[in-house]
Amino acid sequence: MTHRPRQKVTRLTGILLGLGLAATPATAFARPLQPDAATPGAAQYAQVATVTPYQDKLAATGLDDPAKKDIAMQIVSSAENSSLDWKAQYKYIEDIDDGRGYTAGIIGFCSGTGDMLDLVQLYANRKPGNVLAKYLPALRDVDGSDSHAGLDPNYTRDWRTAANDTAFKTAQNDERDRVYFNPAVAQGKADGIGTLGQFMYYDAIVMHGPGTDSVSFGGIRKRALQKAKPPSQGGNETTYLNAFLDARVWAMKQEEAHSDTSRVDTAQRVFLRNGNLNLNTPLDWKVYGDPFHIS
């Protein structure tokens, strides 16, 4: 299985990317993104009030619809794991030599960026004494680095053992939703964008992390807002999403490991050019030259 590197910067962005951001508090990247309160409609959406037509449309459907969420997971897995079978990735773990230590699980939790530590802590809270709990001190020590100290030689074996436990799978699902999926959908709805746009947000947070610097999701969105207005501000949805993808491509090219932008160019832009703002099936796309199809 070919696993594609991501640029997830939930903690210690300056250390991991060498972009001179070490002065940014590490904990800033560990918190899930909250919908931008300055976005018109954010407060109204949180209360599910009867408001503008675009919000009424989004209340009825979105990426949080179970069928759409499964599609989102398949598309992300096509880029992250070269497979549509995202449920086979609970047990996945390897060091992909991107400076973030071990990468593992359904969303690429990393030992060097804090989200793996948070996941294993949640699993330990729910099931004390589990096979991964003994690695918590080591995960705290290696956070912010690519070190395996205290994890080798048995951590990968024990991770795969844990992946057979329903409680660990549930913990992975819950952390994915808390840190990445739910914040992406909430911000997308606050911005008035539909299912495809919410997916674009989600894929960006998965790769870049929910931070606020220029190469994290918050910075990407800020760059897009400088070029176009989202529907919540009276802008055209397609125009805004193109601006967001332009900003995303810029961020990807800041790191050599992500200079291949096909997950945008031959996937998300294809859906957008086809006017498929609701991410309806059938879907056909390519990532890194590999074709994929969802009926």
Side-chain angles (χ1 to χ4, degrees):
M1 176 178 63
T2 302
H3 190 89
R4 311 298 184 179
R6 83 263 302 129
Q7 174 175 298
K8 186 158 51 181
V9 287
T10 51
R11 291 183 183 172
L12 297 181
T13 304
I15 293 175
L16 295 178
L17 299 182
L19 295 175
L21 297 171
T24 303
T27 53
F29 300 101
R31 294 191 296 269
L33 180 77
Q34 298 298 319
D36 185 352
T39 301
Q44 298 96 313
Y45 221 94
Q47 298 172 15
V48 197
T50 302
V51 282
T52 59
Y54 76 80
Q55 289 175 324
D56 182 62
K57 175 189 70 175
L58 292 178
T61 185
L63 199 66
D64 47 359
D65 174 88
K68 299 294 185 182
K69 186 175 184 177
D70 187 70
I71 289 171
M73 289 299 296
Q74 291 184 65
I75 298 173
V76 169
S77 184
S78 74
E80 298 291 316
N81 302 95
S82 299
S83 169
L84 296 182
D85 188 6
W86 68 268
K87 292 181 181 179
Q89 311 310 324
Y90 290 106
K91 65 180 182 296
Y92 167 76
I93 182 168
E94 69 174 316
D95 189 326
I96 57 177
D97 296 321
D98 64 349
R100 297 169 181 85
Y102 281 118
T103 296
I106 58 171
I107 210 64
F109 301 99
C110 297
S111 60
T113 62
D115 56 352
M116 182 180 286
L117 170 60
D118 291 344
L119 168 63
V120 175
Q121 183 65 66
L122 176 65
Y123 183 35
N125 292 346
R126 293 178 175 179
K127 192 170 184 178
N130 71 69
V131 69
L132 295 181
K134 61 181 176 286
Y135 295 103
L136 281 169
L139 287 170
R140 295 187 189 100
D141 289 342
V142 303
D143 188 13
S145 76
D146 62 356
S147 174
H148 294 180
L151 299 176
D152 290 343
N154 295 323
Y155 185 63
T156 56
R157 181 198 66 189
D158 289 342
W159 180 282
R160 287 187 285 268
T161 297
N164 293 317
D165 184 358
T166 299
F168 187 49
K169 293 178 181 179
T170 299
Q172 288 197 39
N173 293 341
D174 290 347
E175 280 298 280
R176 169 202 61 198
D177 290 349
R178 181 183 72 89
V179 181
Y180 303 105
F181 188 84
N182 292 345
V185 172
Q187 185 64 69
K189 289 186 175 183
D191 286 342
I193 57 178
T195 306
L196 174 60
Q198 293 165 34
F199 170 74
M200 291 177 180
Y201 278 14
Y202 174 54
D203 189 65
I205 289 181
V206 167
M207 173 176 276
H208 302 276
T212 57
D213 60 274
S214 62
V215 294
S216 292
F217 173 77
I220 294 171
R221 178 175 172 272
K222 181 178 179 180
R223 180 178 288 266
L225 289 170
Q226 292 171 350
K227 300 294 183 180
K229 294 181 179 180
S232 62
Q233 298 179 31
N236 177 271
E237 183 171 7
T238 299
T239 300
Y240 171 72
L241 292 180
N242 271 310
F244 181 81
L245 291 181
D246 290 343
R248 170 83 188 278
V249 167
W250 177 87
M252 291 175 72
K253 289 185 176 180
Q254 301 313 298
E255 186 178 8
E256 179 60 30
H258 302 109
S259 58
D260 184 325
T261 59
S262 61
R263 69 193 290 159
V264 170
D265 302 333
T266 56
Q268 295 173 46
R269 283 206 197 271
V270 172
F271 306 149
L272 187 58
R273 283 197 301 268
N274 291 340
N276 192 357
L277 298 177
N278 200 38
L279 204 61
N280 291 325
T281 55
L283 293 167
D284 290 280
W285 73 98
K286 292 182 179 180
V287 183
Y288 309 112
D290 300 328
F292 294 93
H293 173 81
I294 298 177
S295 301

